[in-house]
Amino acid sequence: MQILQPKPLGLRNLGNSLRLVGDLEKAEEVLNASLILAQKLQLPSDISSALLVLGNIAYTNQQPESALIFYQQAANIAPSQSDRINAQLNQLSLLIDLEKWVNARLLVSKIQPSLTKLPPNRTTIYAQLNLAQSLTRLHQANVSQTADMATIAELIATSHKQAKKLGDKRLEAYALGKLGRLYEQTQQLENAQKLTEKALMLAQAMNSPEISYRWQWQLGRILKKRRDIKSAIAAYQQSVSTLQSLRSDLLAVESDIQFSFRDSVEPVYRELVALLVHSESSESSQEHLLQAREVVESLQLAELENFFREACLDIKPAEIDRIDTQAAVIYPIILKNNLEVILSLPQQPLHHYTIAVSQQKLETTVEKLRQNLVIRTRYSFMPFSKQLYDWLIRPLEKELASSGVKTLVLVPDGVLRNIPIGVLHDGDQYLLEKYSIAFTPSLKLLPPHKLQQNNFKVLGAGLSEARQGFSPLEFVEEEFKKIKLGVPSTVLLNEEFTRKNVESNLRSDFYPIVHIATHGQFSSKAIETFILTWNDRIRINDLDNLLYQSKLPKHQAIELLVLSACETAVGDNHAALGLAGMAVKAGARSTLATLWPVNDESTANLMGQFYQQLSNTKQNKAEALRKSQLFLLKDPNYEHPLYWAPYVLVGNWL
């Protein structure tokens, strides 16, 4: 029997599919195999195509210089003019991202004449629209010797005529919408609206939601500029609704119009929130705030699903008043020029606050706070801690105090996920000294169950020895000794801590608490979010399979997953998405983790206290954590927030 050998095309298609679902490491491996095979068989077209996708992976991995090299190589070896132009267009877009204007102008001068020689087929039209987008960006950057807006409009109009002649309604809708976008940018709003509405009708008739949402969003922007706020809100809501209907289908969008989540999805939600909270109609203000809260929740879910690259979340109605009548939920949302905060208090209407701080200034302050907390200087962090308190908490103080709430639950946005808000300081004391604090990615993911203190048992697993290039954690043994003093525990230490042993223990008995003391990392990329075992790394997508080994029904989920010694990735503004993702994927009702590397000895002390507090039936997990952190704060050896602040409770705080 003849054994069929893999072909470059098959490997390339597999690699591209892996790229689209976010498994970049495996995608790169498969595409390199495709490239080697194509080179061996001397197939220039397959070599060029493999190099092009490898460039896309490098771009996604934030390696722009490597991506440029791949695109250049793909263009150089491409046997057809069409393939060469596609590689050059990717290269041009990246050069514009990097503000390499001279190189971009030079490349435009090569692409434009070549493009006119191609037959007017579907590939050519997409290439023309791609070029028009890059030319628009160059024009907006005031780069000289590039096309003016009239020339760009002519290029898009030509693409539309060609699409119409081909009878390609989908492509026609795409071209019309692009032309509407150009008119929007030149403030010809009436024409922009007409073209956008026509493009939207075509996209909806073709049942193309991945295009429809764009033109609904565009229509909302245009209507906002025309001061028709009611219609603008309706258009934005339709766009968000279309995005939610897509969910996992976002990954199935054709590669020629594949979009970046942060550039082309996030802004829809954020701009809608801005419209809702600043609507001038006092009669509908509470209704709009309720809608804005719903949009913020939906954005958090969309971010997590984009992180996982699948629609995998079990969504439930969020009813905070029924979950905890002594908890306030704070929804901050970061916009370009403002920080908007929605406050939900039990049995009260929603409150709304606008803080006049730019996204750039807020993100810089958060970054400086984290840096100064971690470098262990005495109080260099304090100015940033106070500033963030003034922005995020000070406007809410009166309502929080009068409501009598004991717990603050933050649904954090963007970089606010990367700091523990308990460290924010009002000038007299830390926020932690006044309230218990918890994070949740979304109340819609929250199982409304209180902690069951009966039958407490802990399955512990950890590394005290150096493994896989990571340093030893000398106090892990001490940490488990202190846990055993308060709670019956089974501990898998060092060589006993393997995936197989964890699975075996969870299959044979039910442990309400799983405590893992090891190195790990939370990143904005699922593939880079992991925890370390003796001989392996457990990646986030494997975590739920690992922890759901119990023979008990799934509704008896793990109460608490503790991830001790893990940290958020340095220099990644969205790294704490990995922490939220880990909490969700584990299936545990709550996750306790750390935002930066922690002192071994202080962790052992805190965890010993935490389990003692947890056995107190009169308090919840958030209060148990708070008292444990205050125990360290009052110790002169550990009073610096470096030691007590990084512990955050994610998920159910009850």
Side-chain angles (χ1 to χ4, degrees):
M1 183 178 70
Q2 184 181 8
I3 298 175
L4 295 175
Q5 297 297 321
K7 294 183 178 180
L9 176 60
L11 288 170
R12 188 170 72 251
N13 288 340
L14 173 60
N16 204 34
S17 297
L18 290 166
R19 177 183 72 86
L20 291 176
V21 299
D23 193 347
L24 300 181
E25 188 176 10
K26 187 66 176 176
E28 190 172 12
E29 180 185 324
V30 171
L31 282 160
N32 275 318
S34 172
L35 177 61
I36 291 167
L37 184 58
Q39 289 169 332
K40 182 180 178 181
L41 297 173
Q42 297 182 348
L43 301 171
S45 180
D46 288 298
I47 295 171
S48 177
S49 297
L51 288 166
L52 184 65
V53 184
L54 283 167
N56 293 340
I57 291 173
Y59 177 78
T60 305
N61 276 330
Q62 298 173 350
Q63 299 166 337
E65 297 300 334
S66 295
L68 281 176
I69 292 169
F70 279 124
Y71 293 148
Q72 181 66 63
Q73 290 174 337
N76 289 344
I77 202 167
S80 74
Q81 206 166 44
S82 177
D83 288 346
R84 182 170 64 254
I85 288 172
N86 281 333
Q88 288 175 329
L89 285 167
N90 281 21
Q91 190 180 357
L92 175 60
S93 180
L94 188 46
L95 287 170
I96 296 170
D97 287 345
L98 298 172
E99 299 184 357
K100 295 188 175 184
W101 309 125
V102 174
N103 291 341
R105 282 202 310 268
L106 181 62
L107 195 53
V108 167
S109 68
K110 293 180 180 178
I111 294 171
Q112 280 182 312
S114 300
L115 198 52
T116 60
K117 298 175 184 176
L118 294 179
N121 55 30
R122 197 168 187 269
T123 302
T124 301
I125 296 168
Y126 272 122
Q128 289 170 173
L129 293 171
N130 190 333
L131 176 61
Q133 185 168 327
S134 289
L135 290 174
T136 303
R137 292 174 64 197
L138 286 168
H139 181 82
Q140 290 172 329
N142 294 317
V143 177
S144 60
Q145 300 175 359
T146 54
D148 57 25
M149 293 303 261
T151 304
I152 298 168
E154 186 179 344
L155 179 60
I156 299 174
T158 299
S159 299
H160 171 245
K161 288 177 185 176
Q162 291 171 340
K164 198 169 184 179
K165 191 173 182 180
L166 288 174
D168 191 326
K169 297 289 186 183
R170 180 189 182 88
L171 191 48
E172 189 182 344
Y174 194 54
L176 270 176
K178 285 287 185 182
L179 195 56
R181 172 66 175 146
L182 195 68
Y183 278 117
E184 179 195 356
Q185 289 169 323
T186 56
Q187 300 303 310
Q188 299 177 65
L189 298 180
E190 186 176 350
N191 286 335
Q193 183 175 339
K194 288 177 180 177
L195 286 166
T196 303
E197 287 171 340
K198 191 172 180 181
L200 177 57
M201 286 177 64
L202 277 171
Q204 289 174 327
M206 290 297 296
N207 193 25
S208 300
E210 72 284 355
I211 303 177
S212 297
Y213 99 89
R214 288 175 174 270
W215 307 147
Q216 288 162 338
W217 174 26
Q218 184 165 293
L219 182 59
R221 293 195 309 268
I222 294 166
L223 290 166
K224 179 186 173 184
K225 290 173 184 175
R226 301 192 77 182
R227 302 189 183 282
D228 186 353
I229 302 302
K230 185 177 180 180
S231 298
I233 288 173
Y236 268 99
Q237 288 173 329
Q238 288 170 357
S239 182
V240 166
S241 179
T242 302
L243 279 170
Q244 289 174 318
S245 71
L246 274 168
R247 296 190 76 191
S248 62
D249 289 341
L250 286 175
L251 304 180
V253 175
E254 293 181 46
S255 59
D256 48 15
I257 52 171
Q258 187 75 32
F259 44 78
S260 158
F261 181 85
R262 292 198 180 110
D263 292 338
S264 302
V265 176
E266 260 191 61
V268 185
Y269 291 86
R270 297 188 186 281
E271 290 167 19
L272 175 54
V273 169
L275 275 173
L276 287 167
V277 298
H278 291 293
S279 172
E280 295 176 0
S281 171
S282 58
E283 294 178 3
S284 59
S285 62
Q286 193 58 213
E287 180 187 344
H288 281 171
L289 284 180
L290 288 166
Q291 291 172 359
R293 181 178 66 173
E294 179 73 16
V295 174
V296 174
E297 287 269 356
S298 298
L299 172 58
Q300 304 299 319
L301 296 172
E303 283 189 294
L304 277 171
E305 291 188 333
N306 182 66
F307 171 79
F308 290 123
R309 306 295 287 173
E310 59 178 310
C312 59
L313 304 180
D314 184 15
I315 299 170
K316 308 171 185 69
E319 298 181 25
I320 182 60
D321 290 10
R322 294 179 61 185
I323 295 171
D324 187 355
T325 58
Q326 292 185 307
V329 185
I330 302 171
Y331 296 86
I333 186 158
I334 302 168
L335 303 178
K336 186 176 180 181
N337 298 312
N338 297 316
L339 173 65
E340 304 290 347
V341 180
I342 296 173
L343 173 64
S344 175
L345 294 169
Q347 294 157 358
Q348 287 191 31
L350 295 176
H351 301 267
H352 166 241
Y353 312 85
T354 297
I355 298 90
V357 55
S358 69
Q359 178 179 354
Q360 183 178 6
K361 189 172 183 180
L362 177 69
E363 290 180 347
T364 299
T365 306
V366 168
E367 184 179 350
K368 286 181 177 177
L369 172 60
R370 183 181 166 103
Q371 287 173 350
N372 282 273
L373 284 170
V374 174
I375 61 177
R376 304 189 189 203
T377 55
R378 286 301 291 167
Y379 293 106
S380 62
F381 67 88
M382 192 58 78
F384 310 111
S385 175
K386 290 178 178 177
Q387 179 63 82
L388 284 165
Y389 185 96
D390 288 343
W391 287 336
L392 186 60
I393 304 298
R394 185 84 65 190
L396 288 57
E397 277 183 329
K398 184 179 177 181
E399 283 77 14
L400 290 173
S402 62
S403 70
V405 296
K406 295 182 178 180
T407 304
L408 302 185
V409 180
L410 191 74
V411 181
D413 185 33
V415 294
L416 292 173
R417 298 186 185 100
N418 292 352
I419 56 166
I421 66 162
V423 79
L424 303 190
H425 203 282
D426 67 2
D428 294 316
Q429 60 185 160
Y430 294 106
L431 187 63
L432 181 75
E433 296 180 82
K434 296 193 281 188
Y435 298 100
S436 300
I437 294 166
F439 284 4
T440 180
S442 168
L443 288 183
K444 291 186 176 182
L445 298 174
L446 199 65
H449 300 285
K450 290 188 176 182
L451 177 64
Q452 303 296 317
Q453 269 97 350
N454 59 321
N455 194 29
F456 253 13
K457 281 191 298 187
V458 173
L459 176 62
L463 299 177
S464 63
E465 299 179 14
R467 295 298 293 174
Q468 302 179 47
F470 288 85
S471 59
L473 297 167
E474 297 174 4
F475 280 86
V476 162
E477 290 187 56
E478 182 68 20
E479 186 175 329
F480 283 125
K481 283 179 184 176
K482 293 193 174 185
I483 293 169
K484 281 184 174 181
L485 290 175
V487 187
S489 306
T490 299
V491 176
L492 306 172
L493 189 64
N494 292 326
E495 63 270 12
E496 294 179 343
F497 178 21
T498 64
R499 187 190 302 244
K500 184 178 179 181
N501 284 345
V502 172
E503 289 176 351
S504 175
N505 276 271
L506 289 174
R507 265 198 297 266
S508 62
D509 202 352
F510 176 64
Y511 293 89
I513 301 174
V514 176
H515 185 113
I516 300 176
T518 183
H519 288 287
Q521 179 172 280
F522 310 121
S523 169
S524 61
K525 300 172 185 173
I527 196 67
E528 294 175 8
T529 296
F530 65 88
I531 54 178
L532 197 71
T533 69
W534 179 256
N535 58 357
D536 194 6
R537 293 185 181 188
I538 299 173
R539 301 197 185 276
I540 190 169
N541 288 327
D542 299 326
L543 193 64
D544 55 347
N545 293 328
L546 176 69
L547 295 180
Y548 275 139
Q549 295 297 325
S550 173
K551 293 179 181 178
L552 296 173
K554 278 199 175 185
H555 70 266
Q556 291 184 266
I558 293 169
E559 289 279 358
L560 177 65
L561 170 67
V562 180
L563 298 170
S564 176
C566 296
E567 62 176 299
T568 49
V570 177
D572 183 347
N573 281 347
H574 291 76
L577 260 181
L579 170 55
M582 189 73 83
V584 170
K585 201 68 170 172
R589 289 177 178 148
S590 313
T591 299
L592 174 59
T594 51
L595 291 173
W596 58 73
V598 286
N599 177 277
D600 273 3
E601 190 171 7
S602 64
T603 298
N605 290 332
L606 180 134
M607 290 301 173
Q609 279 291 314
F610 177 66
Y611 283 101
Q612 285 183 37
Q613 296 291 340
L614 209 57
S615 61
N616 183 342
T617 58
K618 294 182 180 179
Q619 62 189 13
N620 59 32
K621 295 174 218 174
E623 182 65 10
L625 176 60
R626 173 177 176 265
K627 288 182 177 177
S628 306
Q629 290 175 290
L630 291 177
F631 175 79
L632 285 190
L633 172 58
K634 292 171 184 175
D635 185 330
N637 295 316
Y638 301 122
E639 65 180 355
H640 193 283
L642 170 75
Y643 299 106
W644 55 263
Y647 303 91
V648 292
L649 185 67
V650 182
N652 191 323
W653 62 91
L654 297 176

